Amino acid sequence: MTIKKFLKLGLQPLANQYQKKQIRLSVKKGQLYNLNIFFNSKSKLVSISKRIPSEKMFNSKYPYRSSMSKTMRASFKDLSKKIKRRFKPNLLLEIGSNDGALIKNFDKEKIIGVEPCKNLAKITKNDGYLTYDKYWNFDLAKKLKKKFKSVDVIYSANTLTHISNLTDVFQSIKYLLSEQGTVIIEDPSLLECIKKNSYDQFYNEHIYLFSGLAMKNLLRRFDFEIFDLENLSTHGGSLRYYIKRKSNKKQKVTNKVDSQIKEEIRFGLHKYNTYKRFSFNVSESKKKLLQILNKIKKDKKKIIGYGATAKAVTVLNYCDINKDLIPIFTDTTPEKINNYIPGRNIKISKYNKNILKNYDYAFLGAWNFKKEIIQKEKKFIKKGLKFLTHVPYPKFIK
Ligand code: JHZ
């Protein structure tokens, strides 16, 4: 069999559908689905089995905002400088421009945003950036080609993992990209996910988790190739792929591409057994996390969840963590505040800088922002507050 299941994360709700009130979700009503993860031994692609229609996930109520963290704002700013310096594009297009964290670093006449979540597209439109509140597909590529002829750089961060039809994605990119153009794609790295045991990278929106290996195989189908690569610390470890047409000989292929693929093979990303081992580690992680949380409860200590991430939704639902173990979460995102964590009925309270004052522990839902958060909350840590993380294994952060 080419496609084999290696991980079952149980019944899960849709990750970014924060509930207005406490309700019991049901499978019958399509509010819960089985989250199973598969490995394709031919293409080396890792994907989830369930496909939720895009319109159900990415609509005018999408709550995730890229600009909410200093780390991401800085990462996009840094990249925009690199793009200007290295590629000097006359026109750049961003697929999944969210609330404009990247495009705000460019001149208005040099960048186009594509963002199907209307509430987010409105933000950049209001700032005067040309934004199409549409899904990225061939129809849109045709429309853009008519208007702009071609685009020099097409960028997309944390978006392609969310689109089921990758053939359409890349055919549309190929159609619009100039002959010497560059495609830059940035998404969580499968290698980092497996190394860090961060099974919470899997949820309904993350249909795929890419590796260099799988990306290389995928791109071959469209006569594209990776010519450079960067390992980033964002989102728990991401890969930024620089891609060109094979026919474009101007850009030289750096040795970073081969070394990434070699490292992935050394780690075993091409073999099913590696994923089975990961699956075992995930179940051990669940046991350990529950042990710690139960001890906190038994000792009558107070704990709060910090960062109501999509990732935390996977953890809480997979580990069956309820209000008795983590009674409340806090988050800075206006769209999440006063709502409840999907499937768990745990309330999300508005963040304020004294919120940790009365707590002994904080469970780090946004573990990917560990550095930023620890720095921000250092006065509470000095007073004895302990952050709890489940990555790479459940432990208190020293
Ligand atoms: P964060 C989302 O995943 C969903 P999530 C999506 N599918 C995806 O791929 C990634 O993003 C990119 C809060 N926070 O970025 C803000 C604080 O409260 O890890 C956010 O709600 N205080 C598109 O949800 C959350 O944490 C803080 O100081 O897993 C972070 O969410 C900081 C730094 C963050 O993505």
Side-chain angles (χ1 to χ4, degrees):
M1 239 192 319
T2 322
I3 302 175
K4 267 164 91 177
K5 188 186 327 183
F6 63 89
L7 179 62
K8 292 199 235 176
L9 291 170
L11 278 181
Q12 293 279 349
L14 301 193
N16 265 306
Q17 313 244 324
Y18 294 85
Q19 300 162 200
K20 290 252 164 298
K21 49 185 187 205
Q22 303 196 40
I23 44 166
R24 209 189 163 85
L25 301 181
S26 92
V27 182
K28 259 195 190 157
K29 289 187 187 156
Q31 295 160 322
L32 294 169
Y33 70 100
N34 264 307
L35 180 54
N36 296 323
I37 330 293
F38 290 78
F39 172 63
N40 183 325
S41 57
K42 202 164 161 228
S43 67
K44 313 297 175 206
L45 195 57
V46 163
S47 62
I48 65 170
S49 53
K50 184 78 182 168
R51 298 288 192 271
I52 309 285
S54 301
E55 299 73 24
K56 227 178 146 181
M57 299 189 280
F58 311 114
N59 46 43
S60 56
K61 292 195 183 91
Y62 194 65
Y64 179 75
R65 305 254 299 256
S66 312
S67 299
M68 276 294 127
S69 81
K70 231 174 156 175
T71 314
M72 288 317 292
R73 288 196 302 273
S75 168
F76 287 125
K77 190 165 186 183
D78 181 55
L79 174 67
S80 67
K81 283 188 199 151
K82 264 189 204 161
I83 293 179
K84 287 178 202 169
R85 218 183 307 125
R86 190 168 177 188
F87 304 109
K88 303 178 183 63
N90 287 320
L91 191 59
L92 189 144
L93 175 105
E94 187 183 15
I95 304 172
S97 49
N98 198 277
D99 62 355
L102 175 94
I103 69 177
K104 281 177 189 165
N105 296 295
F106 286 88
D107 293 340
K108 294 194 169 93
E109 64 281 4
K110 288 202 162 180
I111 191 153
I112 309 164
V114 174
E115 176 49 65
C117 303
K118 292 197 166 47
N119 58 324
L120 300 173
K122 205 166 133 190
I123 300 173
T124 49
K125 275 187 188 178
N126 287 347
D127 283 345
Y129 285 93
L130 177 62
T131 313
Y132 289 81
D133 50 9
K134 298 212 172 323
Y135 291 98
W136 175 249
N137 57 28
F138 203 69
D139 278 349
L140 182 58
K142 274 202 296 205
K143 196 168 164 180
L144 293 173
K145 190 158 177 97
K146 254 193 202 151
K147 198 160 172 193
F148 301 101
K149 286 204 177 84
S150 65
V151 170
D152 306 316
V153 172
I154 299 185
Y155 174 68
S156 190
N158 303 302
T159 302
L160 297 202
T161 50
H162 299 61
I163 311 178
S164 176
N165 189 348
L166 292 174
T167 302
D168 185 61
V169 164
F170 283 104
Q171 277 174 347
S172 313
I173 289 178
K174 194 174 169 183
Y175 186 69
L176 187 63
L177 188 75
S178 62
E179 281 308 311
Q180 308 285 329
T182 303
V183 185
I184 309 171
I185 293 171
E186 183 173 323
D187 276 301
S189 154
L190 179 67
L191 181 63
E192 289 304 310
C193 163
I194 305 282
K195 275 187 180 168
K196 295 195 170 90
N197 211 21
S198 52
Y199 61 90
D200 51 356
Q201 292 285 10
F202 294 107
Y203 49 90
N204 58 294
E205 291 180 8
H206 283 177
I207 299 170
Y208 307 103
L209 266 205
F210 298 122
S211 58
L213 263 173
M215 187 58 87
K216 189 178 169 185
N217 290 336
L218 177 67
L219 293 173
R220 198 178 290 136
R221 291 173 35 210
F222 308 95
D223 295 320
F224 278 141
E225 66 181 346
I226 309 169
F227 67 90
D228 202 2
L229 229 150
E230 276 176 79
N231 269 285
L232 310 171
S233 59
T234 50
H235 289 297
S238 296
L239 272 177
R240 184 180 283 155
Y241 310 88
Y242 292 84
I243 297 159
K244 65 173 184 70
R245 293 178 194 273
K246 270 196 183 140
S247 56
N248 171 4
K249 304 287 176 210
K250 262 194 169 171
Q251 292 286 0
K252 294 281 165 275
V253 180
T254 70
N255 52 17
K256 285 188 194 152
V257 183
D258 258 1
S259 23
Q260 174 69 28
I261 287 176
K262 272 189 194 138
E263 200 199 333
E264 289 180 357
I265 290 178
R266 208 177 310 130
F267 198 81
L269 285 198
H270 59 309
K271 285 188 305 204
Y272 180 71
N273 272 352
T274 309
Y275 299 94
K276 277 314 281 180
R277 201 170 58 231
F278 169 67
S279 171
F280 173 77
N281 293 340
V282 171
S283 57
E284 290 298 297
S285 172
K286 171 178 177 172
K287 278 187 217 155
K288 181 81 187 141
L289 181 60
L290 285 172
Q291 250 174 31
I292 296 177
L293 290 173
N294 276 307
K295 169 97 171 61
I296 291 173
K297 181 181 168 188
K298 197 170 144 238
D299 293 346
K300 298 198 166 34
K301 297 285 185 196
K302 289 188 78 184
I303 182 163
I304 184 167
Y306 195 113
T309 57
K311 296 182 290 291
V313 173
T314 295
V315 176
L316 299 178
N317 283 279
Y318 168 63
C319 299
D320 197 15
I321 294 166
N322 286 308
K323 271 188 288 199
D324 62 322
L325 293 182
I326 305 182
I328 194 150
F329 261 73
T330 186
D331 199 285
T332 50
T333 315
E335 287 81 353
K336 297 184 186 178
I337 294 164
N338 289 330
N339 286 347
Y340 294 83
I341 303 255
R344 295 289 110 184
N345 289 325
I346 300 174
K347 190 158 184 181
I348 304 162
S349 62
K350 184 174 177 178
Y351 174 79
N352 71 66
K353 57 183 193 320
N354 284 321
I355 197 144
L356 298 183
K357 199 169 141 204
N358 299 318
Y359 289 94
D360 305 297
Y361 299 102
F363 171 68
L364 206 44
W367 58 266
N368 42 319
F369 294 114
K370 183 170 102 180
K371 240 179 161 176
E372 177 176 340
I373 292 171
I374 285 190
Q375 172 64 23
K376 192 156 105 183
E377 309 299 353
K378 59 179 185 244
K379 75 170 186 208
F380 297 104
I381 298 173
K382 267 194 192 143
K383 285 185 185 151
L385 175 109
K386 284 203 168 86
F387 273 101
L388 168 64
T389 184
H390 66 288
V391 176
Y393 56 88
K395 61 172 184 183
F396 295 107
I397 299 171
K398 293 253 166 37

